[in-house]
Amino acid sequence: MSNKILFGYFIVFLKNIFWYKKSQTFLLEIQQKWIFYLILTFSACKNQEKINQNWYHWKGTLQLDSLERKYAEQLQSKTLYLRFFDVDFHPEQKAIPIGDLQIQNSDIKPFQEVVAVIFITNRTILQSTPNEIKSLAEKITQKIFSKAQNNKLSLQGIQIDCDWSEKSKENFFLLCKTLKKICKDQKLSFSVTIRLHQYKYFSQTGVPDADEGILMLYNIGDIEGKNTENSILDLSLIDKYLQDTETYPLPLKIALPVFQWAVVKRMGKVVHLLSEITEKDLEQNPHLKKIQEKRYKVQKNHYFGGVFLYEQDELRWESVSLENIEKLTKKVASKIPITEMIFYHLDNQLIQQYPYEKLQNLVHYWF
Amino acid sequence: MKNFKIWFIIGFNVFFLCNTWHVESCAYFEPDWELYRFFNPELSQNSRFRPFYFSFSRFYESEDILQKNERDENLIEWQTFMENKVSTKDLETIIYKSTQADWDKIRSFVLLQKSLNDKKLAENSVVQYWATQKKDAEAIEYLSFAKKCERYTFIENPWAETPPNAQENLLAYSKEAEKRFASAKDVFIKLRYGYQAVRLAHYAKDFKRTILLYDNLLEPLKTENIVKYWAMAHKAGALQKMGQNALSAYLFAVVFEKSAAKRISSFLSCKIFTDEDWKKALSLCKNNQEKATLFFIRGIHPQNLILPEMMAIYSLLPESDYLDMLLLREINKIEMTLMPLRSTESGFANTDQVALYRAYIPKLKSFVMQYLKTAKNPQKQALWVMALGYCDYLLEKPQEARKSFALLKKESLSPDAQKQMQVFETMLELSELNILEKDTEEKIYQKIVATQSKALKELMRGTFARLYERQGEKAKAYLSSKTIYDIKIEQKFIDELIAFASQDSYTSYEKELLSKIDTQKPKAILQEIKATLLLREGNLEEAEKLFKQSGINLTLEGDPTSDEIIDCINCSRKKTYTKLNLISQIRTLEAQARKNSADAHHRLGNIYYNTTYFGHAWKAMDYFRSSSYLGKHTDCSKAQEYYEKAAQLYEKAGNREMAARLMFLAAKAEQNQMFQSDKFRKEQENKMFSNTIDHFFVPEYRTNFQNLKNKYRNTQFYRNAIKECYYFSYFAR
């Protein structure tokens, strides 16, 4: 029921109060109606702004398949957060783009627009001078605009993903400031990803100059940790970050994990992340022996998940169950108001684990 | 007070929570790996694999050098084609640095006899060769054509997007190249047109055409010319895009073996994802050398283990030169894990990794012994015997190492191998030292300095430090691994260091150690540090004597006798002081304080507050102040005592405003004591993730706040304090 209609009822009701004879039963009736209308009116006044659900696309090639389009359609996703390229530091060439997105099919329906996402390594920010940072902002935006134009992609905004540190903060904030200005001139939004520790301790880490922040609710644990069970999502750690936190100075959206991988450790070090396989693949692999829940040891050298595994390698399966996504969302909803959630990331193999009806329901934690 | 809260929260949170804020893990930090590389990778004498020697960078050589190598292979071809009558530099200019406009001029000049109004081009030996010796129209037309294609094949600016019509143009040029291939007469030029046709089709993403062109144009040319392998790499790339991974990997392995210019790109592109593809790729190999190449490529992937691949290669080709290079690569990798622990006692590997590598070495050793049973080549034998001995060294078995090294016939060793053995012998000598006397120290030091080896020097320092530690020579042990910066921060062994700096004579190593303190006056520097520590302890007389002896009296910014309601550590100040005049100020004020001067007590309180970690004059008593953790001089109890006394004296004199002020200053000092108390620290740890501050009000440390609240509520100072100090306003609410 829209606010206007309810307000109309309220005015009529007030009019009735003044124009009708006051009998006891009438007054009682009026009181009941009054309460009813008050409830309706205040419910109507409650903000029922829709929470959009969108997706990150992080693959090297853009070519959406039917399942991916279906999910986007069912969730009424309009915006595709598309990784355009990464930026890394080369000793001779300085900051260079790498991992350029190959666009096999630029038809992204039902998505209507893209936000170009650029991942920048922290060392790029550290190794650049302030002048180089400003020039980098120009290069990044020019490349984004060319790519979008050449492939007829409707660009809605630019997002930077970088886990900046204390040492790189000044340069990173300069980059953000420069990019924000360029975006503003082009009428584009500018956003940055925010890690949980940057969210929690923003008074120390600082807040980058952006229109909004995307709070990354994954990759929280220590992937190298001997005792780590799941480096993607640890709900107990989430609690600590969300507790007793002041309001973040930027409007926030959240990024939720819908991915999984097997962490491969060799000679005490993480060497691969296998994201092309499922837990079933691990269980059914005759060359792997289960040594603990979700942990396996390689018994024979062989190829698996696209990499070569050696005897004695250890694999640790990490995934995010729907139940845990729901718990995560519930926790976040009680602390952070949002207008959008973005799932990381859109991949046929991954999204099959999460019925889209369930993903749709996640928004209700805010109502 | 408000600022204090902010920096204190920052300090504690960063200190305790540094694992949640990725400072070092994300910072760009490249250790000096040369410090831990003892086994020379060049000993494999296989410079064609140099880029793949073990390195923490992507490749052993810089990518500029790699790019240059690629160009060189092409230039050699052209030079031979031009009968060695042109200079390489001029060839490089013509082929790689000329523009389309330059080529138009060259064509007009050589083929159409038009004048050449370009001095640089006119003087180029290649242009002269064409103009005067061999008017090679085919070559000129080819290079001119290749230059035209560059617009679409060579993107100078990595930030440029591929032009929208690039694919169409590339395909058009590919077809043009195919036509010219058919009409070309010279095989050298024909090959190159064929290569361009294949390459351009690949860049145009017409993968079927790429494969077809290679099979139809180049495969029938029974030649071992390097250009054929360049084209083969493009075919391999196209096959990969079409999902034919086994054949693609096989061809990349062939190119890897045959072409130095394309070795890196072939290595990066050679990808196998399944056992099936691996078996298929192996079955395509025509001989054991080709199979060995596939294992080699798999072995040199940074994440992969080398020993299984070496064993596979050995079963195919026991004398393969791949094995030497892999052996050295693996040992260099092990060195990086284990040697830092023996050099500087710090490492980059965790304890698990260290244990795993230690368990791995015996397996490597078994394979080395197996190899040695069948090795025939004396040079290779020598290399593998050295590896065997070195494995024992890495396992901390010097006797075993010596036994292995004794198998070597030193006279028949190459000069590089002899040098390597000298390094190993020195390393063994260091590891076998139990006592370090001056003459031994001098002998070893001179020997190692002469090698100019950074790694040996680092190992020597680490070994000497451990021995001196054992021998109780604390100063030398400490200086072996520390610098003056560390001395000033840690403030350890100062007396021992002064004694060391007071010796009559020094060995060469000792002189080097001394120079780490200062090259001119190390003893004076140490005396100044000692004097500062004495000053901090309150031993004014001894401190003054030692400051004078050192002759060092630094001028420092600030006024320790002034107070600040809100501490400002980094504010710039006009006044200055020295440590010596601070001592005399303290004496004067103490004399006045004994006569119950409130002002003297006040100023003494300020001195004892400001010269702690918490005050602006911290440099009077310390050398380094971290924003992440508390320093060495944090005791504010003396300051608190003086402030409380001053407050009493002001109250007695009827000056309530000053009494309130002094009470507040005492509260500040008291609060600092609270921050260091176990009770507070424990509470702070429990409330680490909370922004509440109730635990900041430990009653036994808030007596002055309480007094201020109870007795001075009606003073102006009290009202100001409520406004200025968040803690006080919270307390007084």
Side-chain angles (χ1 to χ4, degrees):
Chain A
M1 204 182 266
S2 81
N3 290 350
K4 281 182 188 171
I5 294 169
L6 277 168
F7 187 67
Y9 271 116
F10 184 60
I11 296 297
V12 166
F13 174 73
L14 280 178
K15 188 179 161 190
N16 289 341
I17 295 279
F18 291 108
W19 285 100
Y20 280 84
K21 265 173 124 172
K22 294 177 184 103
S23 73
Q24 216 167 15
T25 53
F26 178 75
L27 278 173
L28 191 60
E29 211 182 304
I30 291 296
Q31 272 179 348
Q32 285 169 345
K33 280 185 184 171
W34 169 247
I35 290 164
F36 172 69
Y37 279 123
L38 270 177
I39 291 168
L40 276 183
T41 305
F42 285 120
S43 316
C45 289
K46 188 177 171 180
N47 187 4
Q48 284 198 348
E49 200 173 333
K50 185 177 182 280
I51 291 179
N52 294 318
Q53 292 181 298
N54 289 312
W55 293 85
Y56 274 107
H57 181 284
W58 216 257
K59 293 193 268 194
T61 307
L62 175 63
Q63 186 167 36
L64 300 182
D65 68 24
S66 55
L67 184 68
E68 289 161 0
R69 290 181 202 274
K70 187 174 185 188
Y71 264 72
E73 201 176 84
Q74 292 298 321
L75 267 57
Q76 294 174 41
S77 307
K78 299 277 181 287
T79 311
L80 183 62
Y81 289 79
L82 188 56
R83 188 198 68 88
F84 267 37
F85 53 89
D86 299 343
V87 180
D88 199 359
F89 186 79
H90 188 276
E92 281 102 31
Q93 292 172 280
K94 308 275 181 142
I96 50 164
I98 55 170
D100 228 334
L101 175 68
Q102 301 302 309
I103 299 178
Q104 292 229 21
N105 183 356
S106 58
D107 171 14
I108 56 168
K109 282 199 283 293
F111 295 103
Q112 294 170 8
E113 58 193 15
V114 303
V115 168
V117 185
I118 312 299
F119 173 74
I120 306 181
T121 60
N122 191 51
R123 67 179 175 189
T124 304
I125 307 291
L126 271 172
Q127 294 293 302
S128 303
T129 63
N131 280 337
E132 285 166 350
I133 288 286
K134 288 180 183 166
S135 160
L136 178 60
E138 290 286 342
K139 287 176 185 171
I140 287 173
T141 49
Q142 282 312 308
K143 189 168 174 69
I144 289 172
F145 298 152
S146 296
K147 202 179 220 24
Q149 191 176 30
N150 291 348
N151 293 282
K152 297 184 175 53
L153 294 169
S154 171
L155 193 63
Q156 188 270 338
I158 293 177
Q159 185 177 115
I160 294 296
D161 180 14
C162 174
D163 190 6
W164 83 84
S165 61
E166 186 193 7
K167 287 178 185 170
S168 65
K169 179 170 128 178
E170 209 175 302
N171 269 356
F172 180 68
F173 284 12
L174 175 61
L175 178 69
C176 289
K177 189 178 171 185
T178 317
L179 283 169
K180 187 181 174 188
K181 185 176 181 308
I182 296 172
C183 285
K184 191 177 177 190
D185 294 340
Q186 299 292 324
K187 295 188 176 43
L188 298 170
S189 72
F190 175 65
S191 55
V192 291
T193 53
I194 307 289
R195 270 83 176 149
L196 277 164
H197 63 87
Q198 293 157 346
Y199 165 78
K200 175 83 183 176
Y201 303 108
F202 67 82
S203 51
Q204 291 102 280
T205 62
V207 180
D209 192 2
D211 297 317
E212 56 202 6
I214 315 298
L215 183 60
M216 289 170 62
L217 296 167
Y218 50 89
N219 289 357
I220 298 156
D222 178 11
I223 203 166
E224 295 271 4
K226 208 170 156 182
N227 299 320
T228 300
E229 285 186 16
N230 192 329
S231 65
I232 300 175
L233 180 63
D234 182 337
L235 289 170
S236 61
L237 280 178
I238 292 278
D239 278 333
K240 288 182 178 170
Y241 281 113
L242 296 182
Q243 255 174 37
D244 299 321
T245 309
E246 292 171 41
T247 308
Y248 195 76
L250 287 181
L252 287 177
K253 297 177 178 175
I254 57 170
L256 295 170
V258 292
F259 65 95
Q260 57 197 16
W261 56 31
V263 179
V264 181
K265 256 189 147 171
R266 179 175 299 153
M267 298 295 276
K269 208 177 131 199
V270 171
V271 291
H272 294 297
L273 295 172
L274 307 184
S275 46
E276 305 285 312
I277 59 164
T278 64
E279 192 170 11
K280 202 174 173 186
D281 293 332
L282 281 172
E283 285 164 359
Q284 289 177 347
N285 185 334
H287 303 309
L288 299 179
K289 182 183 173 187
K290 194 169 192 174
I291 52 174
Q292 261 179 59
E293 193 56 37
K294 301 202 190 287
R295 285 178 192 256
Y296 300 80
K297 201 164 210 165
V298 178
Q299 303 294 290
K300 186 184 168 191
N301 299 351
H302 68 291
Y303 281 93
F304 181 64
V307 304
F308 194 63
L309 299 180
Y310 292 93
E311 218 179 296
Q312 300 302 304
D313 284 353
E314 287 187 11
L315 280 74
R316 180 179 77 226
W317 179 251
E318 294 184 350
S319 63
V320 186
S321 64
L322 183 62
E323 189 192 338
N324 278 347
I325 293 178
E326 286 167 346
K327 284 181 184 168
L328 171 65
T329 317
K330 191 176 177 188
K331 284 180 198 290
V332 175
S334 66
K335 303 281 179 190
I336 305 171
I338 61 165
T339 56
E340 186 172 336
M341 63 176 65
I342 313 165
F343 296 107
Y344 179 89
H345 60 115
L346 189 63
D347 182 301
N348 182 310
Q349 276 238 50
L350 299 172
I351 58 182
Q352 289 177 44
Q353 326 292 329
Y354 310 97
Y356 51 73
E357 309 84 24
K358 299 284 184 182
L359 294 180
Q360 275 170 334
N361 289 343
L362 293 174
V363 302
H364 295 141
Y365 286 111
W366 275 268
F367 299 131
Chain B
M1 204 67 154
K2 204 154 93 177
N3 283 350
F4 176 80
K5 178 206 167 187
I6 292 165
W7 71 249
F8 198 84
I9 288 171
I10 290 170
F12 259 84
N13 281 320
V14 171
F15 178 62
F16 286 115
L17 301 166
C18 57
N19 62 328
T20 64
W21 189 3
H22 303 153
V23 178
E24 290 308 323
S25 61
C26 289
Y28 186 65
F29 169 67
E30 187 79 18
D32 185 354
W33 299 112
E34 288 308 313
L35 292 177
Y36 311 110
R37 194 200 306 270
F38 296 88
F39 208 165
N40 183 2
E42 309 279 1
L43 282 171
S44 70
Q45 294 188 327
N46 220 324
S47 57
R48 63 195 188 113
F49 299 126
R50 209 160 184 271
F52 305 106
Y53 292 168
F54 180 73
S55 165
F56 269 85
S57 308
R58 208 153 81 120
F59 298 106
Y60 187 74
E61 289 171 315
S62 81
E63 299 202 30
D64 267 359
I65 293 177
L66 298 175
Q67 211 178 44
K68 186 179 174 301
N69 290 344
E70 198 167 310
R71 285 186 173 190
D72 285 350
E73 192 170 83
N74 192 26
L75 291 173
I76 290 169
E77 287 275 304
W78 278 97
Q79 188 132 38
T80 313
F81 178 69
M82 290 180 168
E83 303 163 317
N84 294 310
K85 288 178 181 171
V86 300
S87 83
T88 316
K89 191 170 174 238
D90 285 348
L91 254 177
E92 192 178 14
T93 305
I94 285 292
I95 294 174
Y96 292 109
K97 297 176 185 175
S98 56
T99 62
Q100 190 61 56
D102 290 338
W103 273 102
D104 292 341
K105 287 180 198 170
I106 293 169
R107 282 183 79 249
S108 299
F109 173 60
V110 177
L111 302 179
L112 305 173
Q113 270 102 48
K114 299 239 165 101
S115 61
L116 181 60
N117 298 322
D118 186 315
K119 192 169 178 244
K120 254 190 174 162
L121 285 176
E123 286 172 358
N124 188 293
S125 59
V126 178
V127 176
Q128 285 172 5
Y129 171 81
W130 281 326
T132 60
Q133 295 191 51
K134 186 176 179 187
K135 198 182 344 189
D136 194 336
E138 265 200 344
I140 294 167
E141 291 293 353
Y142 166 74
L143 286 168
S144 175
F145 171 76
K147 185 57 63 176
K148 264 193 233 160
C149 299
E150 239 178 43
R151 192 175 158 224
Y152 298 99
T153 59
F154 177 68
I155 299 171
E156 200 163 353
N157 175 10
W159 287 93
E161 276 288 294
T162 315
N165 57 350
Q167 260 180 277
E168 291 160 32
N169 287 314
L170 283 163
L171 208 50
Y173 278 126
S174 172
K175 287 175 180 168
E176 175 69 26
E178 189 184 0
K179 250 194 248 165
R180 289 179 183 228
F181 171 92
S183 58
K185 295 186 178 60
D186 195 306
V187 173
F188 182 88
I189 300 297
K190 214 176 179 64
L191 252 176
R192 275 163 168 69
Y193 275 125
Y195 164 67
Q196 291 292 353
V198 170
R199 176 190 189 217
L200 293 161
H202 188 201
Y203 291 159
K205 299 188 186 176
D206 190 337
F207 304 123
K208 277 196 182 135
R209 180 180 161 78
T210 306
I211 296 164
L212 210 64
L213 281 171
Y214 178 86
D215 290 345
N216 292 342
L217 302 186
L218 289 158
E219 181 60 40
L221 295 176
K222 299 292 173 199
T223 173
E224 281 297 298
N225 190 286
I226 214 72
V227 173
K228 185 178 172 183
Y229 292 104
W230 299 351
M232 185 186 284
H234 285 286
K235 177 184 174 182
L239 285 165
Q240 195 177 86
K241 284 285 191 291
M242 294 183 67
Q244 295 185 51
N245 293 319
L247 182 54
S248 165
Y250 166 70
L251 291 179
F252 273 129
V254 171
V255 176
F256 176 90
E257 171 65 24
K258 299 285 188 188
S259 166
K262 299 297 176 189
R263 192 156 286 142
I264 301 277
S265 55
S266 308
F267 160 69
L268 292 170
S269 305
C270 183
K271 290 172 188 167
I272 296 220
F273 304 106
T274 65
D275 285 335
E276 204 179 80
D277 281 341
W278 175 255
K279 280 192 192 113
K280 213 168 163 184
L282 279 176
S283 70
L284 292 166
C285 295
K286 295 187 183 70
N287 51 51
N288 282 345
Q289 177 61 30
E290 288 188 346
K291 287 181 185 173
T293 304
L294 277 170
F295 283 104
F296 180 73
I297 290 173
R298 193 163 72 183
I300 55 176
H301 267 286
Q303 316 291 17
N304 285 357
L305 291 182
I306 284 179
L307 185 55
E309 314 302 341
M310 278 208 288
M311 289 165 81
I313 294 171
Y314 178 74
S315 68
L316 294 163
L317 283 174
E319 291 287 315
S320 170
D321 55 5
Y322 285 147
L323 291 171
D324 300 342
M325 188 252 156
L326 287 176
L327 174 71
L328 282 159
R329 189 183 154 90
E330 190 69 330
I331 291 182
N332 286 155
K333 213 199 285 184
I334 296 170
E335 279 182 320
M336 291 303 161
T337 305
L338 299 181
M339 287 314 293
L341 296 166
R342 292 168 78 149
S343 296
T344 57
E345 296 198 38
S346 61
F348 311 101
N350 59 45
T351 47
D352 282 350
Q353 283 173 277
V354 169
L356 284 164
Y357 273 99
R358 284 207 172 117
Y360 176 70
I361 296 172
K363 294 179 194 171
L364 180 63
K365 221 186 120 179
S366 297
F367 175 68
V368 171
M369 283 161 68
Q370 187 186 359
Y371 177 92
L372 280 168
K373 283 185 188 147
T374 57
K376 298 183 185 88
N377 181 312
Q379 291 300 332
K380 284 180 187 290
Q381 272 182 343
L383 175 69
W384 287 72
V385 167
M386 283 197 279
L388 185 69
Y390 193 40
C391 281
D392 282 318
Y393 171 85
L394 290 168
L395 288 169
E396 295 178 39
K397 294 178 177 172
Q399 309 279 16
E400 295 297 317
R402 283 199 184 281
K403 275 189 204 159
S404 300
F405 291 144
L407 297 171
L408 288 167
K409 295 186 186 96
K410 294 203 177 134
E411 333 66 61
S412 57
L413 289 179
S414 69
D416 282 341
Q418 285 184 12
K419 239 176 151 179
Q420 181 66 68
M421 275 314 302
Q422 283 167 5
V423 170
F424 285 150
E425 270 159 19
T426 310
M427 291 169 80
L428 279 171
E429 200 178 338
L430 281 170
S431 74
E432 288 165 335
L433 283 174
N434 283 314
I435 296 169
L436 191 55
E437 285 166 0
K438 288 205 178 199
D439 51 355
T440 313
E441 178 205 279
E442 183 71 20
K443 196 178 101 199
I444 294 177
Y445 177 80
Q446 294 297 348
K447 193 173 172 186
I448 289 177
V449 163
T451 64
Q452 296 183 320
S453 162
K454 277 163 77 170
L456 273 178
K457 197 130 191 246
E458 193 67 15
L459 181 64
M460 177 193 76
R461 280 202 206 102
T463 309
F464 282 5
R466 280 188 291 278
L467 287 165
Y468 289 135
E469 184 69 46
R470 216 192 301 161
Q471 290 170 194
E473 294 183 62
K474 292 197 168 114
K476 286 170 82 169
Y478 187 79
L479 279 173
S480 288
S481 57
K482 304 285 186 178
T483 64
I484 182 64
Y485 182 70
D486 298 308
I487 294 170
K488 285 186 171 177
I489 294 174
E490 296 176 1
Q491 296 158 19
K492 281 179 180 175
F493 310 120
I494 303 294
D495 292 331
E496 289 87 347
L497 288 167
I498 292 175
F500 174 66
S502 306
Q503 279 173 201
D504 294 328
S505 66
Y506 297 92
T507 62
S508 308
Y509 182 62
E510 286 172 341
K511 282 182 191 162
E512 188 179 294
L513 293 181
L514 261 186
S515 70
K516 288 169 111 184
I517 302 169
D518 188 77
T519 49
Q520 306 286 325
K521 40 183 181 166
K523 185 175 174 180
I525 300 277
L526 292 167
Q527 284 173 323
E528 199 275 342
I529 295 171
K530 174 78 184 182
T532 304
L533 299 185
L534 288 166
L535 174 59
R536 192 197 295 167
E537 286 163 17
N539 192 337
L540 301 183
E541 206 179 305
E542 290 300 315
E544 188 178 41
K545 213 167 49 181
L546 209 44
F547 274 128
K548 286 178 176 166
Q549 260 182 46
S550 76
I552 297 174
N553 192 23
L554 303 166
T555 303
L556 302 168
E557 221 179 71
D559 177 8
T561 63
S562 66
D563 62 55
E564 292 173 336
I565 297 302
I566 300 168
D567 293 325
C568 180
I569 305 297
N570 295 319
C571 288
S572 67
R573 293 160 200 278
K574 292 196 175 113
K575 284 192 168 181
T576 60
Y577 67 100
T578 66
K579 294 180 192 183
L580 270 173
N581 67 29
L582 179 64
I583 290 174
S584 59
Q585 266 187 316
I586 293 172
R587 284 210 184 99
T588 308
L589 289 168
E590 278 177 346
Q592 291 171 1
R594 282 191 283 274
K595 294 174 187 166
N596 282 334
S597 160
D599 181 65
H601 277 91
H602 182 178
R603 287 178 190 277
L604 280 166
N606 287 341
I607 287 174
Y608 288 114
Y609 184 93
N610 289 329
T611 54
T612 67
Y613 173 86
F614 304 102
H616 76 268
W618 62 269
K619 285 184 186 177
M621 309 278 194
D622 211 337
Y623 295 91
F624 172 74
R625 188 180 184 282
S626 168
S627 54
S628 313
Y629 55 86
L630 296 177
K632 293 214 178 286
H633 183 46
T634 56
D635 184 9
C636 292
S637 58
K638 215 164 176 178
Q640 183 182 344
E641 223 177 277
Y642 277 110
Y643 284 141
E644 285 170 351
K645 184 72 182 176
Q648 284 169 19
L649 289 167
Y650 277 122
E651 172 70 45
K652 209 173 169 183
N655 189 342
R656 287 176 51 77
E657 289 293 338
M658 280 306 287
R661 184 185 184 89
L662 266 300
M663 193 132 283
F664 183 84
L665 292 173
K668 262 175 70 181
E670 194 177 21
Q671 179 174 261
N672 290 343
Q673 297 300 95
M674 179 193 74
F675 288 141
Q676 299 164 69
S677 69
D678 288 336
K679 190 172 180 177
F680 174 79
R681 283 184 192 213
K682 215 170 173 181
E683 242 344 72
Q684 178 66 359
E685 258 180 59
N686 290 338
K687 303 227 162 103
M688 203 155 66
F689 290 95
S690 164
N691 278 344
T692 61
I693 61 166
D694 289 329
H695 58 290
F696 277 57
F697 298 93
V698 180
E700 48 264 50
Y701 292 100
R702 292 297 181 188
T703 59
N704 284 293
F705 261 5
Q706 193 63 55
N707 287 338
L708 192 57
K709 183 181 171 184
N710 292 345
K711 296 178 186 172
Y712 297 100
R713 201 182 271 276
N714 57 358
T715 60
Q716 184 59 44
F717 181 84
Y718 182 96
R719 287 188 280 278
N720 291 343
I722 292 279
K723 278 188 217 156
E724 293 287 345
C725 177
Y726 177 76
Y727 280 154
F728 187 58
S729 72
Y730 189 92
F731 180 85
R733 74 195 194 287

